[in-house]
Amino acid sequence: TLLKHFWDTDQGGLFSTADYHEKLPFRKKPLYDGAIPSGNSVAAWNLLRLARITGDPALESKVEIIGKASAGLVNRMPSSYAFYMTVIDYLLGPSQEIVIAGERHAQDTRELLQVLSGRFHPRMSLLLIPEGDKNSKIREIAPFTRDFTGQKGKTIVYICSGNVCRKPATGIAETMQLLDSIDT
């Protein structure tokens, strides 16, 4: 819906109003990040996260188009595009897709989710695959998770980057040690 109704097919980027909105003399396409990040910055970040999770290169291509369309503005005054610079960092740097496979309400799963979600890592996507849920919507969206499972009563963490997954980890200490060893 976002790309269908807000995407600027001529110059790239996203308008702040949909194509079905009342006719305006000018459709704004803000990128400036003030106290609140711009819609284009947030949309680019979400599109990039979706691209990395789903493996859909068309979504990543949209982020690159937004970058090319706004490069002149960002080059002139990068401090005015702080959140967008996070998107550029995510696009250029290695990202991690972290999959937690385990019983949703188990203590170790909850603790891992809490520790990982509390850690600021702008190039990290965190997914939960509930144990025993072979038909999870996440498995449809992120096909690389198809074979990821927990071990009866034990939560397993899979850390992937660039379509390669490391040896699975268990527990907070092992997961954090593995994350800290990754070149960010």
Side-chain angles (χ1 to χ4, degrees):
T1 300
L2 176 76
L3 295 175
K4 179 179 179 183
H5 294 291
F6 292 85
W7 185 254
D8 179 354
T9 55
D10 295 329
Q11 297 177 356
L14 295 154
F15 292 111
S16 56
T17 55
D19 56 3
Y20 55 80
H21 190 274
E22 69 182 82
K23 195 74 171 159
L24 299 171
F26 178 74
R27 285 176 75 194
K28 291 183 181 182
K29 204 170 44 167
L31 186 67
Y32 171 78
D33 293 323
I36 298 173
S38 74
N40 268 286
S41 294
V42 173
W45 188 57
N46 285 323
L47 287 169
L48 187 53
R49 289 175 63 210
L50 281 171
R52 300 286 167 90
I53 290 169
T54 63
D56 184 348
L59 295 174
E60 192 160 328
S61 171
K62 294 292 187 193
V63 176
E64 291 170 359
I65 292 169
I66 292 170
K68 288 176 185 168
S70 60
L73 292 170
V74 175
N75 280 335
R76 280 194 297 278
M77 201 179 292
S79 62
S80 296
Y81 305 93
F83 192 77
Y84 186 71
M85 296 303 284
T86 303
V87 176
I88 299 299
D89 177 62
Y90 190 178
L91 183 64
L92 299 176
S95 64
Q96 285 81 44
E97 290 70 49
I98 300 175
V99 181
I100 297 176
E103 179 57 45
R104 180 185 310 269
H105 301 292
Q107 184 173 342
D108 59 343
T109 302
R110 287 193 332 258
E111 287 173 356
L112 275 161
L113 285 168
Q114 184 176 16
V115 167
L116 291 170
S117 357
R119 178 183 175 147
F120 177 70
H121 194 304
R123 288 184 255 135
M124 178 180 83
S125 296
L126 185 59
L127 304 169
L128 172 65
I129 303 290
E131 187 174 318
D133 188 355
K134 294 287 184 193
N135 299 316
S136 170
K137 286 286 186 192
I138 293 294
R139 292 186 194 280
E140 286 178 37
I141 295 167
F144 75 96
T145 66
R146 197 169 329 180
D147 298 324
F148 293 174
T149 59
Q151 294 175 350
K152 296 213 186 278
K154 190 174 231 174
T155 301
I156 305 295
V157 179
Y158 300 87
I159 300 173
C160 306
S161 182
N163 298 322
V164 175
C165 297
R166 295 175 173 259
K167 181 184 113 216
T170 58
I172 293 172
E174 187 179 351
T175 300
M176 297 313 284
Q177 183 178 15
L178 192 56
L179 273 174
D180 290 340
S181 73
I182 294 173
D183 179 28
T184 56

